[in-house]
Amino acid sequence: MKLTVVGCSGSFPSAESACSSYLVEADGFRLLLDMGNGALGELQRHCGLYDLDAIYLSHLHADHCIDMCAYFVARYYRHDGGRAAPIPVYGPEGTEHRLTTAYADTPSASSMSEVFDFHTVKPGSFEIGPFSVHTEKVSHPVEAYGIRIEHGGRTLTYSGDTGVCDPLVELARDADLFLCEAAFTHGKECIPDLHLNGREAGEIAARAAARRLVLTHIPPWTDPQVNLADARETYTGPVELAAPRVTYEI
């Protein structure tokens, strides 16, 4: 598998990065994990507008899904070649309604489904193209899912947004790469069931025996070097900060 960081800023885009969005590729199949603020523009650095094969939305906060409204425009109003065929979109219950409400002026209540083939995510295992995936609900104020993606004997785990929870440990168990949020700073913010800090991300990676940890979803007001140092206090494996346009071979 190949993982490309499209955007990794938390809560809102930074001067350097769009919000959460990650491109996963294998066997010519392109799966996008989340499409937050600014992601659609950055995505075009890595593939064409109509080259995605599926989209997975971890949850429905704007910094993970709002550019789906812009992507609707690109697919629905395309003049060259006509309207784009529906692309599979996997998200929590109510995804179609959320996006339709956010756009606020679709031609009809069902217009989104003319270009997006919506599938409701629940805890469990299923296939997306060549990928075997497993999803579990994680700790966040809205319905949110972490995802484990397996292909060719390799594993990628993406936390989405979450506080400390046991399901995330199991999703990351022996993962070759654990892409984990670390939005909070240890000793500064302490709000249960919302976000992780760097120390907690490291602890979860250690409990899961993940082989590599990449910290993501760090907001512009948070010092990422502090979170990186904190993660290294609790996890002895390789750990680094996600950065836009960086690619990993898994």
Side-chain angles (χ1 to χ4, degrees):
M1 289 183 285
K2 177 178 158 183
L3 168 67
T4 301
V5 179
V6 178
C8 55
S9 184
S11 299
F12 58 93
S14 70
E16 292 78 30
S17 178
C19 283
S20 293
S21 191
Y22 313 92
L23 182 63
V24 184
E25 301 173 76
D27 296 345
F29 190 95
R30 294 182 175 94
L31 167 64
L32 191 71
L33 307 178
D34 286 341
M35 193 184 284
N37 318 41
L40 185 60
E42 287 297 315
L43 177 65
Q44 293 171 74
R45 297 180 184 273
H46 308 288
C47 72
L49 277 173
Y50 309 105
D51 292 337
L52 291 177
D53 295 293
I55 299 168
Y56 167 87
L57 302 176
S58 63
H59 66 293
L60 300 178
H61 278 156
D63 59 327
H64 291 257
C65 73
I66 200 62
D67 266 27
M68 289 291 290
C69 291
Y71 196 41
F72 166 77
V73 173
R75 298 188 72 85
Y76 191 89
Y77 294 105
R78 184 178 71 167
H79 293 288
D80 184 11
R83 187 173 299 162
I87 182 176
V89 174
Y90 299 83
E93 189 170 355
T95 295
E96 180 178 5
H97 177 72
R98 177 79 164 97
L99 296 178
T100 301
T101 301
Y103 189 85
D105 193 27
T106 55
S108 76
S110 61
S111 293
M112 284 277 177
S113 63
E114 294 182 47
V115 291
F116 298 138
D117 179 17
F118 291 101
H119 299 262
T120 299
V121 172
K122 294 293 182 184
S125 300
F126 53 100
E127 307 294 318
I128 302 179
F131 303 111
S132 297
V133 307
H134 185 81
T135 54
E136 290 290 348
K137 189 178 288 188
V138 292
S139 297
H140 205 52
V142 299
E143 186 177 3
Y145 291 90
I147 186 170
R148 179 182 178 94
I149 303 171
E150 299 182 3
H151 176 76
R154 299 287 181 166
T155 300
L156 163 67
T157 297
Y158 170 47
S159 67
D161 281 8
T162 181
V164 175
C165 62
D166 290 338
L168 183 58
V169 177
E170 294 311 311
L171 286 173
R173 181 75 60 195
D174 298 319
D176 294 286
L177 191 149
F178 180 26
L179 182 64
C180 185
E181 76 118 283
F184 283 167
T185 302
H186 176 62
K188 179 182 176 184
E189 300 109 335
C190 184
I191 305 173
D193 302 321
L194 183 57
H195 289 297
L196 301 171
N197 59 45
R199 185 176 186 85
E200 290 166 337
E203 289 171 345
I204 290 171
R207 287 175 60 194
R211 295 180 177 88
R212 187 178 192 179
L213 174 62
V214 178
L215 302 178
T216 193
H217 196 272
I218 298 177
W221 58 62
T222 297
D223 184 345
Q225 294 301 323
V226 171
N227 288 22
L228 180 62
D230 286 346
R232 286 174 171 161
E233 288 289 322
T234 56
Y235 174 68
T236 58
V239 54
E240 59 197 278
L241 298 169
R245 305 175 203 170
V246 172
T247 295
Y248 301 91
E249 296 291 338
I250 303 170

